[in-house]
Amino acid sequence: MTTTDLLAADTSMGTVTLLVADLDGMTAYYRDAVALSVLASTVDTVTLGRGTTPLIILRAAPELVQASPRDAGLFHTAILFDSEAALAASVYSVATKAPGTFTGSSDHLVSKAFYFTDPEGNGVELYWDRDRAEWGWVHGQVEMSTLFLDPNAFLQEHLTTEAVEAPNFGEAVVGHVHLAVGDIDSAREFYVNRLGFEQTIMYGDSALFVSAGGYHHHMAMNTWNSAGAGRRGRTLGLGQVDIVVPGPDDLGSLAERMSHHGVATRHDGHTLSFDDPWANVIHVTAASA
């Protein structure tokens, strides 16, 4: 694969849009429990984030039905914190305000992660990355694992009194987005060969991790609950995934590449939009005009 077939190294993830039944309840979860700030709101849409960075967009769609757990769609949105203290503050906030939503925690070697499920069944990961110099790579694959991470010990070590009183401190971004898909071969063909991510880990026929610029993963796809799933209907859950490339030339190159591969796209001059094989909507924008 040549550099012209790849996304730019500085590519990053943008916001994740969720279609929700209870806008007020979901806003309360992400604002009060996860400790994000409301950055903008209308009658039917709320944008939450940290500082001036939007992370999650909630869009009211009470007319839609809940997706089946066997369907393709969102596995989790992963929010990356800039320090272990900021991560601890958010984890403690969820643990005290919505304790029933905690589902587990792991040390992945490259990161420390805590997992939750929001009130409408969308997966949420809150995590912190170790320095890239500490990551291991073997034959082009990043070394990751799933080691026990004691949440109470983590909080005892990193939680401060100030964080308990003001848990929404520190910066955060959407670090990666993990999808449930029908099969890994199709995911690799689309996200690597067409979209232009590089494969960082492949777990047989059950999971694929991909990134730009040597990150451990910007996106992942698995079939753990969704093997054989076809295209999604319009349901609650994932509305769209945003990807941000550095500039207009990068967006233009991607548009040409997707066209070459026969992927139907929509381009309004600012955003390039397309569907993956399971009708997950991807929007790509340029960071600079």
Side-chain angles (χ1 to χ4, degrees), residues 247-267:
D249 289 346
D250 303 295
L251 195 63
S253 295
L254 176 58
E256 291 178 8
R257 186 162 66 248
M258 299 305 266
S259 176
H260 170 75
H261 287 293
V263 177
T265 62
R266 306 168 291 281
H267 200 333

Side-chain angles (χ1 to χ4, degrees), residues 127-281:
Y127 77 112
W128 166 82
D129 276 339
R130 288 188 170 90
D131 188 275
R132 286 195 183 205
E134 299 180 44
W135 303 356
W137 293 81
V138 177
H139 304 303
Q141 289 210 132
V142 65
E143 291 185 291
M144 292 182 65
S145 187
T146 303
L147 306 177
F148 175 69
L149 176 61
D150 185 331
N152 292 317
F154 179 85
L155 292 178
Q156 286 174 358
E157 182 176 357
H158 299 290
L159 188 65
T160 65
T161 302
E162 293 78 12
V164 171
E165 297 172 352
N168 61 344
F169 81 95
E171 298 298 319
V173 297
V174 174
H176 64 268
V177 177
H178 197 144
L179 301 176
V181 300
D183 73 278
I184 296 304
D185 285 344
S186 296
R188 190 180 190 283
E189 173 62 28
F190 185 84
Y191 283 99
V192 176
N193 296 344
R194 300 184 182 189
L195 182 49
F197 280 115
E198 294 178 276
Q199 176 182 311
T200 57
I201 307 177
M202 186 94 159
Y203 292 110
D205 60 358
S206 66
L208 170 69
F209 290 58
V210 301
S211 81
Y215 190 53
H216 54 72
H217 66 296
H218 284 112
M219 296 194 72
M221 306 90 207
N222 76 66
T223 60
W224 299 329
N225 301 315
S226 55
R231 289 179 66 83
R232 299 173 58 204
R234 188 163 167 78
T235 62
L236 295 169
L238 183 62
Q240 72 185 51
V241 174
D242 283 25
I243 297 172
V244 182
V245 295
D249 289 346
D250 303 295
L251 195 63
S253 295
L254 176 58
E256 291 178 8
R257 186 162 66 248
M258 299 305 266
S259 176
H260 170 75
H261 287 293
V263 177
T265 62
R266 306 168 291 281
H267 200 333
D268 63 6
H270 175 68
T271 302
L272 181 70
S273 305
F274 44 85
D275 296 352
D276 79 359
W278 299 276
N280 295 306
V281 179

Side-chain angles (χ1 to χ4, degrees), residues 71-94:
D71 287 347
L74 183 68
F75 191 71
H76 62 236
T77 301
I79 299 173
L80 171 62
F81 292 84
D82 64 347
S83 69
E84 289 180 278
L87 171 60
S90 186
V91 169
Y92 180 78
S93 180
V94 184

